[in-house]
Amino acid sequence: MIEWFAWAQVAVAVLGGLLCIGLGLLGRKPTDLSMGATALVELLLLAQLVVAIVAPFTGNNASGSLLEFYTYLVSAILVPVTAAIWALIERSRWSTVILGAACLAVAVMLYRMLQIWTVQGL
């Protein structure tokens, strides 16, 4: 896996999460900015899925459990989608905070996936 891409994903998820939480605490309902930040996190997760599928064919194998890695990946893909659907239905300032919390949860999952792929088992 490309390490800089994984770190960029973690950074985008953290920044998106902090942005959404900040907007929610300021009393903003879900806006294009908060939904866009969550959508960017989701797009990067889908790119991560493609990279994770292609990487073993290029000789870049995971050093940890692939079952754990893909469990985190599938969970991380589902969290922003679920939060976005709930935010579109609820349309309150707290749903913006939930978008932020979802992005931060994804950042933690991405960090764990990076550990599984690169350093676990060494």
Side-chain angles (χ1 to χ4, degrees):
M1 181 177 345
I2 304 169
E3 191 171 353
W4 64 265
F5 179 67
W7 281 112
Q9 285 182 303
V10 172
V12 167
V14 168
L15 291 175
L18 294 176
L19 173 79
C20 290
I21 288 174
L23 288 172
L25 294 177
L26 289 174
R28 302 272 178 97
K29 294 181 179 179
T31 62
D32 290 343
L33 185 61
S34 58
M35 294 301 282
T38 308
L40 180 60
V41 170
E42 183 66 24
L43 286 175
L44 288 174
L45 284 167
L46 294 175
Q48 174 77 11
L49 178 62
V50 172
V51 168
I53 291 171
V54 173
F57 295 111
T58 63
N60 186 358
N61 295 318
S63 60
S65 166
L66 283 178
L67 177 63
E68 185 182 7
F69 177 84
Y70 283 109
T71 302
Y72 272 112
L73 184 57
V74 169
S75 299
I77 288 172
L78 293 176
V79 166
V81 172
T82 306
I85 290 169
W86 186 76
L88 289 173
I89 292 170
E90 178 69 23
R91 303 291 292 175
S92 71
R93 68 183 269 194
W94 296 113
S95 57
T96 306
V97 173
I98 295 298
L99 286 173
C103 289
L104 292 177
V106 166
V108 172
M109 289 186 239
L110 285 167
Y111 179 71
R112 179 65 185 136
M113 287 189 294
L114 176 64
Q115 286 181 328
I116 293 168
W117 199 274
T118 58
V119 297
Q120 188 173 4
L122 294 178

